[in-house]
Amino acid sequence: MKFGTKAIHAGVEPDPSTGAIMTPIYQTSTYVQRSPGDNKGYEYSRTHNPTRTQLQNALAALENGKHGLCFSSGMAAIDAIIKMLKPGDEVISTNDLYGGSYRIFTRVFQNFGIKFHFTNMQDTANVKKLINENTKMIWVETPTNPLLNIIDIKAYADLAKKHKLLLVADNTFATPYLQTPLDLGADIVMHSLTKYMGGHSDVVMGAVIVNDDELRKQLAFIQNACGATPGPQDCFLVLRGLKTLHLRMERHCQNGRKVAEYLKEHPKVGKVYWPGFESHPGYEIAQKQMLDFGGMVSFELKGDNVDDAVRVLENLKLFALAESLGGVESLCGHPATMTHASIPREDRMNAGLSDTLIRLSVGVEDAEDLIDDLAQAISV
Protein backbone atom coordinates (compact mmCIF):
# COMPACT_ATOMS: atom_id res chain seq x y z
CA MET A 1 0.00 0.00 0.00
CA LYS A 2 1.06 3.58 -0.62
CA PHE A 3 1.54 5.77 2.45
CA GLY A 4 -1.85 7.52 2.36
CA THR A 5 -3.66 4.19 2.16
CA LYS A 6 -1.55 2.78 4.99
CA ALA A 7 -2.28 5.82 7.16
CA ILE A 8 -6.00 5.06 6.94
CA HIS A 9 -6.05 1.25 6.86
CA ALA A 10 -2.81 -0.45 7.93
CA GLY A 11 -2.76 -2.16 11.30
CA VAL A 12 -6.41 -1.32 12.02
CA GLU A 13 -9.34 -3.73 11.70
CA PRO A 14 -13.09 -3.15 12.23
CA ASP A 15 -14.25 -4.11 15.71
CA PRO A 16 -15.01 -7.87 15.55
CA SER A 17 -17.92 -7.70 17.99
CA THR A 18 -19.90 -4.91 16.30
CA GLY A 19 -18.26 -4.16 12.95
CA ALA A 20 -17.50 -0.59 14.07
CA ILE A 21 -15.14 0.90 11.49
CA MET A 22 -13.47 3.11 14.11
CA THR A 23 -11.52 1.36 16.85
CA PRO A 24 -13.58 1.52 20.06
CA ILE A 25 -12.23 3.12 23.23
CA TYR A 26 -11.86 0.12 25.51
CA GLN A 27 -12.23 2.05 28.75
CA THR A 28 -11.50 -0.83 31.09
CA SER A 29 -8.77 -1.64 33.56
CA THR A 30 -9.20 -5.41 33.68
CA TYR A 31 -10.66 -8.38 31.73
CA VAL A 32 -12.71 -11.40 32.80
CA GLN A 33 -10.94 -14.75 32.48
CA ARG A 34 -12.65 -18.07 31.73
CA SER A 35 -10.29 -19.89 34.07
CA PRO A 36 -7.05 -18.86 35.81
CA GLY A 37 -4.64 -17.92 33.02
CA ASP A 38 -7.26 -18.65 30.34
CA ASN A 39 -8.07 -15.26 28.79
CA LYS A 40 -8.72 -13.68 25.40
CA GLY A 41 -5.27 -12.12 25.16
CA TYR A 42 -5.96 -9.35 27.66
CA GLU A 43 -5.50 -9.48 31.43
CA TYR A 44 -4.83 -5.94 32.66
CA SER A 45 -4.76 -2.66 30.76
CA ARG A 46 -1.29 -1.58 31.88
CA THR A 47 -0.01 -4.64 30.01
CA HIS A 48 -2.36 -4.65 27.01
CA ASN A 49 -5.44 -2.77 25.87
CA PRO A 50 -7.24 -3.41 22.55
CA THR A 51 -7.28 0.28 21.59
CA ARG A 52 -3.56 0.56 22.26
CA THR A 53 -2.90 -2.67 20.35
CA GLN A 54 -4.50 -1.24 17.21
CA LEU A 55 -2.48 1.96 17.52
CA GLN A 56 0.77 0.05 18.03
CA ASN A 57 0.03 -2.04 14.94
CA ALA A 58 -0.72 1.07 12.90
CA LEU A 59 2.49 2.80 13.99
CA ALA A 60 4.58 -0.26 13.14
CA ALA A 61 3.01 -0.38 9.68
CA LEU A 62 3.68 3.31 8.98
CA GLU A 63 7.35 3.00 10.01
CA ASN A 64 7.75 -0.22 7.99
CA GLY A 65 8.50 -1.93 11.30
CA LYS A 66 7.40 -5.15 12.96
CA HIS A 67 6.56 -4.02 16.50
CA GLY A 68 5.15 -0.82 17.97
CA LEU A 69 4.95 0.12 21.65
CA CYS A 70 3.17 3.17 23.05
CA PHE A 71 4.07 5.18 26.14
CA SER A 72 2.43 7.94 28.14
CA SER A 73 4.70 10.60 26.58
CA GLY A 74 7.68 10.99 24.29
CA MET A 75 9.85 11.31 27.39
CA ALA A 76 8.48 8.01 28.71
CA ALA A 77 9.48 6.39 25.42
CA ILE A 78 13.01 7.79 25.77
CA ASP A 79 13.09 6.64 29.39
CA ALA A 80 12.23 3.07 28.37
CA ILE A 81 14.94 2.96 25.71
CA ILE A 82 17.69 4.18 28.04
CA LYS A 83 16.54 1.73 30.73
CA MET A 84 17.85 -1.07 28.54
CA LEU A 85 21.37 0.15 29.42
CA LYS A 86 23.44 -0.50 32.54
CA PRO A 87 25.77 1.59 34.74
CA GLY A 88 29.04 2.16 32.91
CA ASP A 89 27.43 2.15 29.45
CA GLU A 90 27.96 5.16 27.20
CA VAL A 91 25.72 6.91 24.66
CA ILE A 92 26.75 9.32 21.89
CA SER A 93 24.29 11.94 20.69
CA THR A 94 24.14 15.26 18.88
CA ASN A 95 25.01 18.53 20.60
CA ASP A 96 21.82 20.25 19.42
CA LEU A 97 19.11 17.80 20.41
CA TYR A 98 15.78 18.49 22.13
CA GLY A 99 16.20 20.00 25.60
CA GLY A 100 14.01 17.37 27.25
CA SER A 101 16.20 14.59 25.88
CA TYR A 102 19.32 16.39 27.12
CA ARG A 103 17.72 16.85 30.55
CA ILE A 104 16.76 13.21 31.09
CA PHE A 105 20.17 12.07 29.83
CA THR A 106 22.25 14.38 32.01
CA ARG A 107 20.10 14.96 35.09
CA VAL A 108 18.46 11.56 35.48
CA PHE A 109 20.36 8.71 33.84
CA GLN A 110 23.82 10.16 34.35
CA ASN A 111 23.07 9.85 38.08
CA PHE A 112 22.75 6.09 37.56
CA GLY A 113 26.17 5.72 35.99
CA ILE A 114 25.35 6.04 32.29
CA LYS A 115 27.66 8.45 30.46
CA PHE A 116 26.50 10.68 27.60
CA HIS A 117 28.61 12.41 24.97
CA PHE A 118 27.25 15.29 22.87
CA THR A 119 28.99 16.23 19.64
CA ASN A 120 28.42 17.70 16.19
CA MET A 121 27.06 14.68 14.31
CA GLN A 122 27.15 16.27 10.88
CA ASP A 123 30.71 14.87 10.71
CA THR A 124 30.94 11.15 11.53
CA ALA A 125 34.60 11.62 12.51
CA ASN A 126 33.42 13.40 15.68
CA VAL A 127 31.47 10.31 16.70
CA LYS A 128 34.16 7.81 15.73
CA LYS A 129 36.57 9.52 18.14
CA LEU A 130 34.15 8.95 21.04
CA ILE A 131 33.43 5.24 20.45
CA ASN A 132 35.07 2.97 23.02
CA GLU A 133 34.48 -0.42 24.65
CA ASN A 134 31.74 1.06 26.87
CA THR A 135 29.76 2.63 24.02
CA LYS A 136 26.41 0.90 23.58
CA MET A 137 24.18 3.35 21.72
CA ILE A 138 24.16 6.17 19.17
CA TRP A 139 21.19 8.54 19.51
CA VAL A 140 20.26 10.43 16.34
CA GLU A 141 17.73 13.25 16.03
CA THR A 142 17.11 14.49 12.50
CA PRO A 143 16.11 17.14 11.65
CA THR A 144 17.46 18.41 14.95
CA ASN A 145 15.47 20.55 17.34
CA PRO A 146 15.59 23.55 16.92
CA LEU A 147 18.49 24.18 14.49
CA LEU A 148 17.16 21.77 11.85
CA ASN A 149 20.51 20.17 11.15
CA ILE A 150 20.41 16.96 9.14
CA ILE A 151 22.14 13.79 10.29
CA ASP A 152 22.90 10.96 7.85
CA ILE A 153 20.96 8.00 9.28
CA LYS A 154 22.44 5.46 6.84
CA ALA A 155 26.00 6.53 7.66
CA TYR A 156 25.39 6.07 11.37
CA ALA A 157 23.57 2.78 10.81
CA ASP A 158 26.70 1.47 9.06
CA LEU A 159 28.91 2.80 11.86
CA ALA A 160 26.67 1.30 14.55
CA LYS A 161 26.65 -2.12 12.91
CA LYS A 162 30.43 -2.07 12.53
CA HIS A 163 30.84 -1.51 16.28
CA LYS A 164 27.78 -3.59 17.32
CA LEU A 165 25.96 -0.59 18.76
CA LEU A 166 22.26 0.24 18.88
CA LEU A 167 21.19 3.13 16.65
CA VAL A 168 18.15 5.06 17.90
CA ALA A 169 16.48 7.65 15.66
CA ASP A 170 14.12 10.28 17.04
CA ASN A 171 11.77 10.70 14.09
CA THR A 172 9.41 13.23 15.72
CA PHE A 173 10.13 16.16 13.36
CA ALA A 174 10.04 14.14 10.15
CA THR A 175 7.37 11.48 10.86
CA PRO A 176 7.29 8.32 8.71
CA TYR A 177 5.66 10.39 5.96
CA LEU A 178 9.02 12.08 5.32
CA GLN A 179 11.51 9.39 6.35
CA THR A 180 11.59 5.81 7.70
CA PRO A 181 14.78 5.29 9.73
CA LEU A 182 14.31 1.52 10.07
CA ASP A 183 14.62 1.25 6.28
CA LEU A 184 17.91 3.18 6.54
CA GLY A 185 19.32 0.78 9.13
CA ALA A 186 18.24 2.20 12.51
CA ASP A 187 17.44 -0.34 15.23
CA ILE A 188 14.92 1.75 17.14
CA VAL A 189 12.65 4.61 16.06
CA MET A 190 11.02 6.80 18.70
CA HIS A 191 8.35 9.48 18.46
CA SER A 192 6.67 12.07 20.53
CA LEU A 193 3.21 11.27 19.17
CA THR A 194 2.09 14.48 20.84
CA LYS A 195 3.44 16.32 17.81
CA TYR A 196 2.73 15.60 14.13
CA MET A 197 1.47 12.04 14.54
CA GLY A 198 -1.42 13.10 16.79
CA GLY A 199 -1.46 16.43 15.02
CA HIS A 200 -4.23 18.24 16.89
CA SER A 201 -2.57 19.43 20.13
CA ASP A 202 -4.98 17.38 22.22
CA VAL A 203 -2.93 14.40 23.42
CA VAL A 204 0.43 13.61 25.04
CA MET A 205 1.98 10.28 24.06
CA GLY A 206 5.16 8.59 22.85
CA ALA A 207 6.05 5.50 20.84
CA VAL A 208 8.88 3.14 19.96
CA ILE A 209 9.01 1.02 16.80
CA VAL A 210 11.45 -1.86 16.18
CA ASN A 211 11.95 -4.86 13.92
CA ASP A 212 14.02 -7.02 16.24
CA ASP A 213 12.01 -9.47 18.38
CA GLU A 214 14.48 -9.36 21.29
CA LEU A 215 14.42 -5.54 21.40
CA ARG A 216 10.65 -5.66 21.40
CA LYS A 217 10.73 -8.15 24.28
CA GLN A 218 13.02 -5.94 26.38
CA LEU A 219 11.02 -2.78 25.69
CA ALA A 220 7.67 -4.49 26.30
CA PHE A 221 8.95 -5.71 29.67
CA ILE A 222 9.95 -2.16 30.63
CA GLN A 223 6.66 -0.79 29.30
CA ASN A 224 4.68 -3.15 31.54
CA ALA A 225 7.01 -3.24 34.55
CA CYS A 226 7.47 0.53 34.80
CA GLY A 227 3.91 1.32 33.75
CA ALA A 228 4.27 4.51 31.72
CA THR A 229 1.47 3.48 29.37
CA PRO A 230 -1.18 5.67 27.69
CA GLY A 231 -4.91 5.40 28.29
CA PRO A 232 -7.34 4.16 25.61
CA GLN A 233 -8.87 7.61 25.02
CA ASP A 234 -5.46 9.03 24.07
CA CYS A 235 -4.76 6.02 21.85
CA PHE A 236 -8.07 6.63 20.08
CA LEU A 237 -7.14 10.27 19.47
CA VAL A 238 -3.78 9.37 17.92
CA LEU A 239 -5.41 6.68 15.75
CA ARG A 240 -7.78 9.37 14.49
CA GLY A 241 -4.87 11.74 13.85
CA LEU A 242 -2.91 9.17 11.83
CA LYS A 243 -5.67 8.96 9.24
CA THR A 244 -4.87 12.47 8.00
CA LEU A 245 -1.10 12.42 8.61
CA HIS A 246 -0.22 12.38 4.90
CA LEU A 247 -2.61 15.24 4.12
CA ARG A 248 -1.40 17.36 7.01
CA MET A 249 2.30 16.74 6.37
CA GLU A 250 1.91 17.69 2.72
CA ARG A 251 0.43 21.04 3.75
CA HIS A 252 2.95 21.56 6.57
CA CYS A 253 5.74 21.12 4.02
CA GLN A 254 4.15 23.48 1.49
CA ASN A 255 3.61 26.18 4.10
CA GLY A 256 7.02 25.64 5.66
CA ARG A 257 8.67 26.27 2.31
CA LYS A 258 6.72 29.49 1.70
CA VAL A 259 7.45 30.82 5.19
CA ALA A 260 11.16 29.96 4.99
CA GLU A 261 11.51 31.63 1.59
CA TYR A 262 9.71 34.74 2.86
CA LEU A 263 11.91 35.02 5.93
CA LYS A 264 15.08 34.50 3.89
CA GLU A 265 14.32 37.63 1.87
CA HIS A 266 13.20 39.80 4.81
CA PRO A 267 15.61 42.71 5.43
CA LYS A 268 15.34 42.38 9.22
CA VAL A 269 16.02 38.63 9.31
CA GLY A 270 19.63 37.55 9.72
CA LYS A 271 19.57 33.75 9.35
CA VAL A 272 16.93 31.17 8.51
CA TYR A 273 17.32 27.50 9.48
CA TRP A 274 15.47 25.22 7.05
CA PRO A 275 16.96 22.15 5.32
CA GLY A 276 15.21 22.86 2.02
CA PHE A 277 17.66 25.63 1.06
CA GLU A 278 20.41 24.46 -1.27
CA SER A 279 22.82 26.45 0.90
CA HIS A 280 21.90 24.34 3.97
CA PRO A 281 24.85 22.07 4.85
CA GLY A 282 22.54 19.05 5.13
CA TYR A 283 20.55 19.72 1.96
CA GLU A 284 21.92 16.81 -0.08
CA ILE A 285 21.46 14.30 2.74
CA ALA A 286 17.93 15.60 3.38
CA GLN A 287 17.12 15.15 -0.30
CA LYS A 288 18.41 11.59 -0.10
CA GLN A 289 16.66 10.40 3.07
CA MET A 290 13.54 12.61 3.23
CA LEU A 291 10.51 12.97 0.97
CA ASP A 292 10.29 16.72 1.71
CA PHE A 293 11.75 19.18 4.20
CA GLY A 294 9.04 19.48 6.83
CA GLY A 295 7.11 22.30 8.47
CA MET A 296 9.63 23.44 11.09
CA VAL A 297 11.48 26.71 10.48
CA SER A 298 13.81 28.60 12.85
CA PHE A 299 15.23 32.07 12.35
CA GLU A 300 17.17 34.90 13.95
CA LEU A 301 16.71 38.63 13.50
CA LYS A 302 19.70 40.75 12.55
CA GLY A 303 21.70 41.84 15.57
CA ASP A 304 21.77 40.06 18.89
CA ASN A 305 19.11 41.94 20.84
CA VAL A 306 16.95 39.42 22.72
CA ASP A 307 14.29 42.09 23.25
CA ASP A 308 13.72 42.25 19.50
CA ALA A 309 13.05 38.52 19.36
CA VAL A 310 10.73 38.70 22.36
CA ARG A 311 8.83 41.59 20.75
CA VAL A 312 8.22 39.51 17.61
CA LEU A 313 6.98 36.57 19.69
CA GLU A 314 4.65 38.80 21.70
CA ASN A 315 3.17 40.41 18.59
CA LEU A 316 2.46 37.34 16.50
CA LYS A 317 -1.28 36.68 16.29
CA LEU A 318 -1.81 33.49 14.27
CA PHE A 319 1.42 31.91 15.49
CA ALA A 320 0.52 31.12 19.10
CA LEU A 321 3.35 31.43 21.64
CA ALA A 322 3.35 27.98 23.21
CA GLU A 323 5.38 24.85 23.93
CA SER A 324 5.16 21.88 21.55
CA LEU A 325 4.82 21.67 17.78
CA GLY A 326 3.27 19.67 14.97
CA GLY A 327 -0.38 20.63 15.45
CA VAL A 328 -2.63 21.91 12.69
CA GLU A 329 -2.32 25.40 14.18
CA SER A 330 0.90 27.38 13.86
CA LEU A 331 3.01 27.81 16.99
CA CYS A 332 6.07 29.89 17.81
CA GLY A 333 8.57 29.54 20.59
CA HIS A 334 11.78 30.85 22.14
CA PRO A 335 13.98 27.77 22.65
CA ALA A 336 16.46 29.48 24.99
CA THR A 337 13.75 30.10 27.61
CA MET A 338 11.24 27.41 26.70
CA THR A 339 12.01 24.03 25.11
CA HIS A 340 15.79 24.19 25.63
CA ALA A 341 16.04 26.12 28.90
CA SER A 342 17.36 22.99 30.65
CA ILE A 343 20.55 23.10 28.54
CA PRO A 344 23.27 25.33 30.08
CA ARG A 345 23.64 28.58 28.15
CA GLU A 346 27.29 27.94 27.32
CA ASP A 347 26.42 24.55 25.80
CA ARG A 348 23.54 26.10 23.85
CA MET A 349 25.76 28.83 22.45
CA ASN A 350 28.51 26.37 21.52
CA ALA A 351 25.95 24.36 19.56
CA GLY A 352 24.79 27.50 17.74
CA LEU A 353 21.52 27.94 19.62
CA SER A 354 21.47 31.67 20.30
CA ASP A 355 19.29 33.60 22.75
CA THR A 356 17.61 35.33 19.79
CA LEU A 357 16.54 32.16 17.95
CA ILE A 358 12.81 31.86 17.19
CA ARG A 359 11.34 28.46 16.32
CA LEU A 360 8.21 28.19 14.18
CA SER A 361 5.95 25.18 13.84
CA VAL A 362 4.21 26.13 10.61
CA GLY A 363 0.63 24.88 10.63
CA VAL A 364 -1.86 24.11 7.87
CA GLU A 365 -3.56 27.52 7.67
CA ASP A 366 -3.38 29.56 4.47
CA ALA A 367 0.27 30.43 3.95
CA GLU A 368 -0.53 34.01 2.92
CA ASP A 369 -2.14 34.68 6.30
CA LEU A 370 0.86 33.23 8.12
CA ILE A 371 3.26 35.40 6.11
CA ASP A 372 1.12 38.48 6.81
CA ASP A 373 1.30 37.67 10.50
CA LEU A 374 5.09 37.40 10.41
CA ALA A 375 5.32 40.63 8.43
CA GLN A 376 3.35 42.67 10.95
CA ALA A 377 5.13 41.16 13.98
CA ILE A 378 8.64 41.71 12.59
CA SER A 379 7.84 45.27 11.54
CA VAL A 380 6.67 46.35 15.05
Side-chain angles (χ1 to χ4, degrees), residues 259 262-263 266 299 311-321 329-332 358 360-363 365-380:
V259 165
Y262 167 76
L263 290 170
H266 198 290
F299 72 99
R311 187 160 50 250
V312 170
L313 291 164
E314 289 177 344
N315 283 282
L316 285 166
K317 308 300 182 187
L318 288 178
F319 283 89
L321 179 58
E329 61 287 303
S330 293
L331 300 177
C332 62
I358 294 171
L360 302 178
S361 173
V362 183
E365 302 95 337
D366 286 304
E368 293 77 8
D369 292 329
L370 297 177
I371 289 171
D372 287 345
D373 190 32
L374 286 163
Q376 64 83 22
I378 295 173
S379 67
V380 172

Side-chain angles (χ1 to χ4, degrees), residues 204-253:
V204 173
M205 197 189 302
V208 175
I209 301 96
V210 299
N211 277 321
D212 184 81
D213 293 344
E214 182 57 33
L215 280 177
R216 187 264 170 199
K217 183 179 178 181
Q218 291 181 54
L219 288 161
F221 172 80
I222 294 168
Q223 180 194 44
N224 181 52
C226 297
T229 52
Q233 171 86 25
D234 287 349
C235 292
F236 173 86
L237 290 172
V238 176
L239 274 168
R240 183 193 65 178
L242 292 182
K243 292 180 182 295
T244 59
L245 177 63
H246 56 303
L247 303 174
R248 291 185 285 103
M249 289 305 297
E250 192 174 305
R251 183 61 172 261
H252 283 300
C253 291

Side-chain angles (χ1 to χ4, degrees), residues 73-101:
S73 67
M75 295 311 305
I78 294 171
D79 178 75
I81 294 168
I82 303 299
K83 278 177 177 170
M84 293 192 297
L85 303 178
K86 296 178 174 61
D89 290 346
E90 298 188 11
V91 180
I92 303 170
S93 188
T94 179
N95 63 350
D96 61 334
L97 83 168
Y98 167 54
S101 303

Side-chain angles (χ1 to χ4, degrees), residues 285-301:
I285 296 170
Q287 272 202 316
K288 182 175 63 175
Q289 70 185 23
M290 297 176 72
L291 178 67
D292 206 332
F293 302 106
M296 299 300 299
V297 180
S298 294
F299 72 99
E300 297 168 352
L301 299 173

Side-chain angles (χ1 to χ4, degrees), residues 67-247:
H67 308 290
L69 299 112
C70 288
F71 296 84
S72 56
S73 67
M75 295 311 305
I78 294 171
D79 178 75
I81 294 168
I82 303 299
K83 278 177 177 170
M84 293 192 297
L85 303 178
K86 296 178 174 61
D89 290 346
E90 298 188 11
V91 180
I92 303 170
S93 188
T94 179
N95 63 350
D96 61 334
L97 83 168
Y98 167 54
S101 303
Y102 180 91
R103 179 178 56 222
I104 196 172
F105 290 168
T106 60
R107 297 179 63 181
V108 178
F109 284 106
Q110 211 150 264
N111 294 333
F112 293 92
I114 299 172
K115 188 174 182 179
F116 295 86
H117 302 275
F118 303 97
T119 189
N120 184 331
M121 294 184 77
Q122 281 74 67
D123 185 351
T124 56
N126 294 330
V127 173
K128 290 176 182 177
K129 289 188 299 185
L130 294 169
I131 294 175
N132 61 67
E133 61 183 8
N134 296 319
T135 308
K136 296 295 186 291
M137 181 181 290
I138 298 175
W139 188 283
V140 167
E141 179 183 287
T142 182
T144 62
N145 180 4
L147 295 175
L148 300 168
N149 285 314
I150 302 297
I151 296 172
D152 191 332
I153 298 172
K154 178 66 167 59
Y156 281 105
D158 293 342
L159 184 64
K161 284 177 174 54
K162 179 181 177 181
H163 294 276
K164 297 181 180 179
L165 310 176
L166 285 174
L167 177 65
V168 182
D170 183 337
N171 205 27
T172 298
F173 268 28
T175 81
Y177 178 78
L178 297 181
Q179 68 186 16
T180 46
L182 293 177
D183 291 338
L184 297 170
D187 299 292
I188 301 173
V189 173
M190 67 80 45
H191 283 277
S192 172
L193 300 177
T194 310
K195 314 303 193 296
Y196 286 109
M197 301 287 268
H200 293 79
S201 302
D202 55 7
V203 64
V204 173
M205 197 189 302
V208 175
I209 301 96
V210 299
N211 277 321
D212 184 81
D213 293 344
E214 182 57 33
L215 280 177
R216 187 264 170 199
K217 183 179 178 181
Q218 291 181 54
L219 288 161
F221 172 80
I222 294 168
Q223 180 194 44
N224 181 52
C226 297
T229 52
Q233 171 86 25
D234 287 349
C235 292
F236 173 86
L237 290 172
V238 176
L239 274 168
R240 183 193 65 178
L242 292 182
K243 292 180 182 295
T244 59
L245 177 63
H246 56 303
L247 303 174

